[in-house]
Amino acid sequence: MAEQPLISLRGLTREYRMDAETVYALRGIELAIGTNEYVAIMGPSGSGKSTLMNVIGCLDTPTRGEYWLNGTEVSRMSDDELARVRNREIGFVFQTFNLLPRATALHNVELPLIYAGTSARERRRAASRALERVGLADRMHHRPNELSGGQRQRVAIARALVNDPSILLADEPTGNLDSVTSQEIMAVFGELHTQGQTVLMVTHEADIAAHAHRVVTLLDGVVHSDSVREAA
Amino acid sequence: MPFREAIRLAFQVIWAQKMKSSFSVIGVFIGVTFLIAVVSIVEGMNAYMTDRFATTLLGVNTFQLRRYPGVQMGDVSRETRREWRRRPRISFEDARAVVEGLSLPVVTAWESSSRADLSHDGKIAKDIEVVGATEDYFQIKNWDLEAGRPFSPQEAQAGQPVMVIGHELAERLFETRDPIGREVRIRGIPYRVIGVVETQGNLFGISLDKFAVAPALSPIKRIVNPARVVDALLVRAGSLEELDVAIAETEAIMRSRRHLRPSDGNNFSIETADAVLDFWGKINRVLMMALPGLVSISLVVGGIVIMNIMLMAVAERTREIGIRKSLGARRRDIMRQFLVESATLATVGAAIGIATGIGLAGIVQATTFLPARVAPWSVVVAIVLGGGVGVTAGLYPASRAARLDPVDAIRQE
Ligand SMILES: Nc1ncnc2c1ncn2[C@@H]1O[C@H](COP(=O)(O)OP(=O)(O)O)[C@@H](O)[C@H]1O
Ligand SMILES: [Mg+2]
């Protein structure tokens, strides 16, 4: 198999036009990420980490440059095509969990499958299995307000996994958690990576980044450093 | 998102916000309640007019020759009333000439009536309709007797003091005793009861069973009319076509007897059930024309309310929309979710309106003489209108929701 990266970004630029001035969030990102990598993105606040994750997660589109995912150019896709990529290829974990408050854990995890057109029976089966993978088999029928922060983030991870995505994206997934819970969540990511999941994670904490095998640092919207560490 | 899922979700949201939901459907609810109730009352009125009123008062395939119309509907000017009073009455000779002149086989009867008190053995029945008639009157009226017999042609001709009475009158004067053969007095004149007509129910809540019929030539002729005139000649034809022929012949005979010139109008009246039904039809049309206006006003108001509620819902649930989009919801999925929600909301309002409308019709049915019947078409129209209002009102809010940018939406608190 020819070595084709899972994700390939070339000259990726994202500008925000405010009335008179233009804010440059990303200014020419060059980056390639391969299958089964575990990459941490670091950088000071405002360096463009979230913007980059949103573009890779197909929630946002670049102003200029190319974004290739699995050999297709995503940067030229229509709204509906992007929705389809988000649904099939991307699993996104947010700092603030972003669960639907009125829905049970199980229903939250089923959501991506609803938009994939999966049958109700298959949905329930896949969602239960995803919750089991993150250790929440006994909390399926709880609503978010009946769960701890760590449990909520696990539900969010299960939801990101349920469609068997090409890549798991996480933007500061431990940013709202205490350090003990953070370590638990990092253990979950580590376990998933061991099982073959590609993971791309934003963090500004060195001990969190230490779980990754490669650390990319952004500064003012460009890649400042990119270092691969020997696997532990 | 599949349709079923969207509907399930819609019910969940509506149920979770019961207060807001009920407020938002008030307009649709009122419009639909109104539609169902008014249509059922009008349809009930319609059925009543056709089945009972017109035929009870005027009979099937029957016309009445009178001095002026017996059933007056709508505005009659003073001028017209004055002209009516100048008209000659229908004389015995007029009635006989018409009956002899008609070419087709018909059933005919004279009718003259007045109100009087009847007494039996100290009991008095006040203000009873007393009718002087000929023997075929019962046949034209389609009356069956529950006891006794009608008077014979011989009794009619001879003016015998015999009498057939209505069901309620019989109960009032004789209670449980058999009325047949007993004596009843009208202004001191003794009559013998020979028959009782079975109950005819009521019309607009007025009993149709308080009457007494006696031969036109019997002594009551002094009570019911001036000498040698009748209130009406009743003619019943075999069919509608024959009815038209008989009416034309009657008109010709009367015009010739009264020496009317071609330019003169008729100075008598020929009345059929059709004329009455025509008039009812006009009222009916006015009601049915006003109805869409009233219903659409409340539906438009209802639609605007729902649209605003849905805009609020979209604003409140921006984050939810962002989350759904981030998980792969396409524009059309979000669009569908909110359209279905809005349509479900309106349809639930319509359904409650339909139930209330049916309930109102039931109350009218139970407490008044009107057979208010719910028209199936009005239920269908109500559901379609309700759903349509929901979809229309939901279009703009739903497209606003569908176009939200996922990154912006998900950041919303
Ligand atoms: N929607 C937006 N409109 C305008 N500027 C934005 C917007 N989103 C991000 N930015 C700007 O882009 C830059 C990068 O932001 P972000 O990607 O959130 O940084 P990080 O996640 O590394 O803190 C910042 O200067 C921020 O102010
Ligand atoms: Mg950020």
Side-chain angles (χ1 to χ4, degrees):
Chain A
M1 196 170 88
E3 201 47 58
Q4 184 200 48
L6 176 64
I7 286 173
S8 166
L9 308 175
R10 297 176 196 153
L12 198 77
T13 301
R14 179 66 166 99
E15 306 167 358
Y16 293 103
R17 294 237 159 73
M18 326 280 285
D19 310 313
E21 53 177 333
T22 304
V23 179
Y24 295 90
L26 301 176
R27 30 180 121 209
I29 299 277
E30 303 287 337
L31 189 64
I33 293 167
T35 304
N36 201 22
E37 277 198 273
Y38 188 168
V39 182
I41 295 181
M42 298 194 69
S45 181
S47 56
K49 305 183 297 292
S50 290
T51 306
L52 179 62
M53 290 298 266
N54 288 341
V55 171
I56 294 175
C58 294
L59 291 169
D60 197 4
T61 45
T63 313
R64 279 184 303 280
E66 292 175 16
Y67 168 19
W68 294 77
L69 176 66
N70 267 334
T72 46
E73 189 173 2
V74 172
S75 33
R76 305 211 185 291
M77 282 186 175
S78 71
D79 244 38
D80 278 358
E81 287 169 323
L82 287 173
R84 198 187 141 79
V85 174
R86 287 198 291 273
N87 189 236
R88 305 288 161 103
E89 308 286 343
I90 310 283
F92 213 124
V93 177
F94 302 90
Q95 178 177 351
T96 52
F97 320 135
N98 282 335
L99 300 175
L100 295 189
R102 274 199 293 268
T104 60
L106 188 67
H107 186 74
N108 266 292
V109 177
E110 278 186 37
L111 277 173
L113 298 172
I114 287 179
Y115 295 112
T118 312
S119 74
R121 175 196 296 257
E122 177 59 23
R123 257 174 11 222
R124 177 165 280 262
R125 205 184 57 76
S128 320
R129 214 184 39 195
L131 281 166
E132 280 161 22
R133 281 180 78 184
V134 298
L136 279 182
D138 55 340
R139 293 285 187 280
M140 290 193 193
H141 301 290
H142 290 233
R143 287 171 209 284
N145 62 3
E146 299 160 347
L147 297 172
S148 70
Q151 288 171 330
R152 290 183 208 184
Q153 196 59 299
R154 284 166 194 257
V155 174
I157 294 170
R159 182 177 66 185
L161 288 176
V162 76
N163 257 352
D164 196 16
S166 304
I167 185 159
L168 186 58
L169 302 176
D171 190 353
E172 305 208 33
T174 59
N176 278 19
L177 302 175
D178 61 59
S179 58
V180 175
T181 314
S182 297
Q183 288 308 321
E184 283 170 21
I185 292 296
M186 292 318 295
V188 173
F189 279 107
E191 173 66 20
L192 294 172
H193 174 247
T194 311
Q195 291 165 13
Q197 180 68 56
T198 311
V199 180
L200 179 55
M201 177 183 302
V202 167
T203 182
H204 55 244
E205 294 169 63
D207 56 333
I208 297 294
H211 290 264
H213 301 146
R214 176 180 166 197
V215 177
V216 174
T217 315
L218 294 193
L219 200 59
D220 283 339
V222 293
V223 175
H224 175 69
S225 73
D226 187 345
S227 60
V228 180
R229 291 186 297 111
E230 280 311 307
Chain B
M1 162 151 36
F3 214 64
R4 263 194 27 216
E5 201 63 37
I7 290 178
R8 209 177 54 80
L9 189 62
F11 274 111
Q12 242 172 38
V13 172
I14 291 168
W15 187 245
Q17 312 184 331
K18 289 179 257 329
M19 278 299 284
K20 197 194 280 176
S21 304
S22 13
F23 166 73
S24 62
V25 299
I26 282 177
V28 172
F29 165 77
I30 290 175
V32 166
T33 304
F34 201 72
L35 172 75
I36 301 288
V38 169
V39 168
S40 63
I41 289 166
V42 169
E43 293 256 311
M45 195 82 186
N46 230 341
Y48 199 71
M49 281 299 194
T50 320
D51 299 350
R52 297 235 349 105
F53 182 73
T55 50
T56 302
L57 284 187
L58 296 159
V60 180
N61 292 344
T62 299
F63 73 85
Q64 302 190 351
L65 171 64
R66 289 179 172 272
R67 181 155 73 134
Y68 51 78
V71 184
Q72 289 149 30
M73 300 191 112
D75 281 340
V76 178
S77 69
R78 295 170 70 123
E79 198 52 49
T80 310
R81 284 186 190 283
R82 209 168 297 140
E83 187 269 323
W84 283 354
R85 280 197 296 273
R86 282 199 301 270
R87 289 177 176 185
R89 291 169 184 268
I90 308 294
S91 67
F92 285 5
E93 288 72 28
D94 287 335
R96 287 192 181 115
V98 168
V99 170
E100 272 154 32
L102 290 177
S103 63
L104 295 164
V106 291
V107 182
T108 64
W110 297 2
E111 179 193 73
S112 296
S113 70
S114 182
R115 297 197 157 266
D117 298 348
L118 270 65
S119 67
H120 167 77
D121 198 16
K123 278 203 190 63
I124 297 175
K126 283 195 176 302
D127 205 31
I128 300 299
E129 187 184 14
V130 176
V131 182
T134 48
E135 66 276 8
D136 285 336
Y137 188 70
F138 304 96
Q139 191 188 338
I140 290 184
K141 286 282 188 180
N142 249 335
W143 285 346
D144 288 326
L145 269 57
E146 64 181 29
R149 58 173 181 87
F151 48 79
S152 66
Q154 292 74 26
E155 284 166 327
Q157 219 100 74
Q160 295 285 331
V162 291
M163 173 171 283
V164 173
I165 61 178
H167 177 84
E168 194 178 329
L169 178 60
E171 278 184 346
R172 231 198 252 181
L173 289 178
F174 304 104
E175 290 166 358
T176 54
R177 284 169 299 155
D178 181 9
I180 306 301
R182 293 186 196 276
E183 190 190 85
V184 166
R185 281 176 180 267
I186 305 178
R187 300 216 184 141
I189 310 164
Y191 268 81
R192 189 164 49 90
V193 176
I194 59 167
V196 178
V197 177
E198 69 177 21
T199 182
Q200 302 298 307
N202 63 71
L203 189 65
F204 296 122
I206 299 162
S207 168
L208 294 172
D209 295 319
K210 294 195 287 189
F211 62 86
V213 186
L217 299 177
S218 71
I220 60 156
K221 65 187 175 197
R222 291 195 298 274
I223 302 170
V224 296
N225 252 336
R228 303 194 67 77
V229 301
V230 296
D231 284 346
L233 172 69
L234 276 50
V235 180
R236 178 171 178 170
S239 67
L240 261 179
E241 294 72 38
E242 293 185 11
L243 180 70
D244 287 341
V245 174
I247 288 173
E249 288 176 354
T250 301
E251 193 177 357
I253 292 164
M254 288 301 293
R255 288 185 68 87
S256 127
R257 284 182 62 79
R258 292 188 170 176
H259 310 292
L260 298 177
R261 280 165 303 182
S263 59
D264 294 337
N266 290 344
N267 58 0
F268 50 89
S269 148
I270 292 176
E271 217 180 350
T272 65
D274 281 354
V276 177
L277 288 180
D278 266 6
F279 179 77
W280 164 245
K282 267 182 218 148
I283 298 180
N284 196 358
R285 271 197 296 282
V286 170
L287 282 176
M288 285 302 197
M289 253 151 63
L291 186 66
L294 293 167
V295 170
S296 14
I297 289 171
S298 47
L299 287 185
V300 165
V301 172
I304 292 171
V305 172
I306 288 180
M307 182 162 100
N308 279 289
I309 295 281
M310 290 309 294
L311 281 173
M312 271 165 59
V314 170
E316 279 167 12
R317 281 149 65 193
T318 299
R319 191 181 166 98
E320 173 194 327
I321 295 162
I323 293 171
R324 289 179 181 278
K325 285 199 143 190
S326 79
L327 299 175
R330 294 160 301 179
R331 284 184 180 201
R332 75 184 82 136
D333 292 313
I334 301 296
M335 185 90 191
R336 173 181 288 179
Q337 180 186 337
F338 282 90
L339 272 187
V340 166
E341 191 173 317
S342 159
T344 306
L345 196 60
T347 309
V348 166
I352 299 171
I354 289 168
T356 311
I358 291 174
L360 283 180
I363 291 172
V364 169
Q365 161 97 292
T367 57
T368 72
F369 55 86
L370 273 183
R373 38 179 145 178
V374 174
W377 69 262
S378 69
V379 174
V380 174
V381 167
I383 292 172
V384 170
L385 280 181
V389 165
V391 170
T392 313
L395 274 175
Y396 176 61
S399 79
R400 282 259 295 245
R403 277 181 321 208
L404 283 175
D405 176 73
V407 177
D408 289 344
I410 217 162
R411 252 205 300 260
Q412 200 89 38
E413 267 322 307

